[in-house]
Each structure stands twice: as structure tokens, then as C-alpha cells.
Amino acid sequence: MSNHPVVDLPTLLDISPQGGIEGRSRRYEKYLGDMDGVYRDDAAWQDAVGERGVEELVYWVDDHRYQEGPGALIVGTSTLLPGRYGEEFAVTRGHLHAIADRAELYYCLSGRGVMLLETLDGQTSAVELTPGKAVDVPGHWIHRSVNVGDEPFVTLFCYAADAGQDYAVIADAGGMKNLVVADGDGWALKPNRDHTGYRAYAE
């Protein structure tokens, strides 16, 4: 019996600045109807659903993975379409890695966005990304992409294949501590009045 590990073969990936990967392992898509509870202005989200329908695409992710074990990497693109819901810009659901110490790199391919970042104990950060800019997100940081421009915000990401995602951590807290909102021609952070604190630190 051989003691040699099974070795995956190198794969050429054709990554589009407009979003999408030829050679991907999978694609998943999120629609307007999937964003129930994500925006704090629920009436604005409901109005958007009424106007455009639950099947309107709001973002999609292509990724490539060999396996789920430690040592492997997942590489992908996230494409978040522009939009506003009241004063809030379009966002992804956001997550903390299920194995919380796993880091993730995001590199902006096109568009203009913000990586909204928070820790369970209340630290916050917001990093603006434009083409050629990247943010290296350390472990233990909840992170969410926000499109603050008027074209698709496309990022290339890479993280450990065993990291997993915890999406419920944000919903359980009533949303993230800060919102990214319109401010003239730019953006600003605004405290989220619904935020109750993350569960690991709740009283």
C-alpha cells in the first residue's frame, strides 16, 4: 500500500475582471428574495421586491476548489451588483469563518466597494477597494462586501478550504454594528440601531 498522498493536478483558471471564472468548480447565486432581513430598512427592501421581483439577481460567486481538507485553498470571484435600499448600499450577506482563525484575501478586479469588518468583541474597520487594491482579512473578523459604486463590484478572493462560513452570526446580532450608507457622492458609516452585540459576547 502506497504512503504517497493523492496529489491534485494544477488547474488553469481564466478570471474575468467583470466577474466569473472559466474552470470553476461551482457557481452560486443570490437573489433579491434571499436578502430578507439583511437590510435594516425592511420597507425599502420590500419596495424593491415589489418593483423587481424576488428572482432578481443581486450577486454571484464562482469558485474553484480541489478538496475541503486543511492545506487546500479556495479561489473565487464575488460579483456584487450596484443598488440602494433606502440609504444603504448593496451588500453581500457577510460571514465569519466557521473556523474563526482562518484569514481571507480580497483583491478588487473592478468597480468600487468597501469591505466592512467587525470582530465579535466590537472592533470595527472599513476598507475601500478599487481596482488593484486588496485587503488581507485576518482570522476572527466578520466581513461583508458593499458596493458603493454604480457598476458591479468584483473581487478575487482566496481562503483555506476548511474554513467554512457562519452566516447566522450577523443575523443573530440584528445586523452588523455599522451600516455603509450614502453620503453625498460618497459613503459613510452609520451605527446600526438594531445591533444587539454578537452572541459570543452577549450578556
Side-chain angles (χ1 to χ4, degrees):
M1 181 177 177
S2 174
N3 292 323
H4 294 292
V6 175
V7 177
D8 296 303
L9 295 176
T11 301
L12 177 66
L13 302 176
D14 188 355
I15 298 171
S16 170
Q18 285 71 49
I21 299 177
E22 288 189 25
R24 66 180 180 261
S25 301
R26 65 165 187 160
R27 167 175 288 184
Y28 72 84
E29 300 173 336
K30 289 297 171 187
Y31 300 91
L32 196 51
D34 298 322
M35 305 301 282
D36 187 9
V38 171
Y39 295 100
R40 305 331 300 162
D41 189 340
D42 187 65
W45 173 78
Q46 293 280 3
D47 287 345
V49 170
E51 292 170 8
R52 307 199 298 268
V54 295
E55 295 300 321
E56 178 168 280
L57 184 65
V58 291
Y59 70 93
W60 71 92
V61 174
D62 281 3
D63 68 30
H64 178 267
R65 60 186 69 200
Y66 294 108
Q67 53 182 281
E68 303 296 330
L73 294 175
I74 295 175
V75 176
T77 58
S78 169
T79 304
L80 173 59
L81 299 178
R84 287 260 299 276
Y85 301 87
E87 61 181 351
E88 295 176 66
F89 287 105
V91 302
T92 60
R93 290 183 299 162
H95 61 271
L96 177 69
H97 288 298
I99 301 178
D101 66 357
R102 297 301 194 253
E104 186 164 4
L105 176 72
Y106 288 87
Y107 174 81
C108 181
L109 295 172
S110 62
R112 177 170 169 251
V114 171
M115 189 62 62
L116 186 61
L117 300 143
E118 298 176 359
T119 61
L120 295 176
D121 62 356
Q123 298 178 71
T124 66
S125 182
V127 179
E128 182 166 330
L129 295 175
T130 52
K133 301 293 186 182
V135 57
D136 191 354
V137 179
H140 300 287
W141 282 84
I142 298 163
H143 44 286
R144 162 179 278 171
S145 295
V146 187
N147 188 336
V148 298
D150 56 8
E151 60 183 280
F153 174 47
V154 183
T155 52
L156 174 70
F157 61 80
C158 183
Y159 64 96
D162 65 346
Q165 286 89 18
D166 178 356
Y167 296 104
V169 65
I170 297 173
D172 292 348
M176 293 183 74
K177 185 175 181 179
N178 287 315
L179 308 175
V180 180
V181 300
D183 182 25
D185 293 331
W187 60 274
L189 295 181
K190 178 180 177 179
N192 172 17
R193 293 178 296 177
D194 298 330
H195 182 73
T196 58
Y198 293 111
R199 57 178 176 251
Y201 289 86
E203 294 294 328

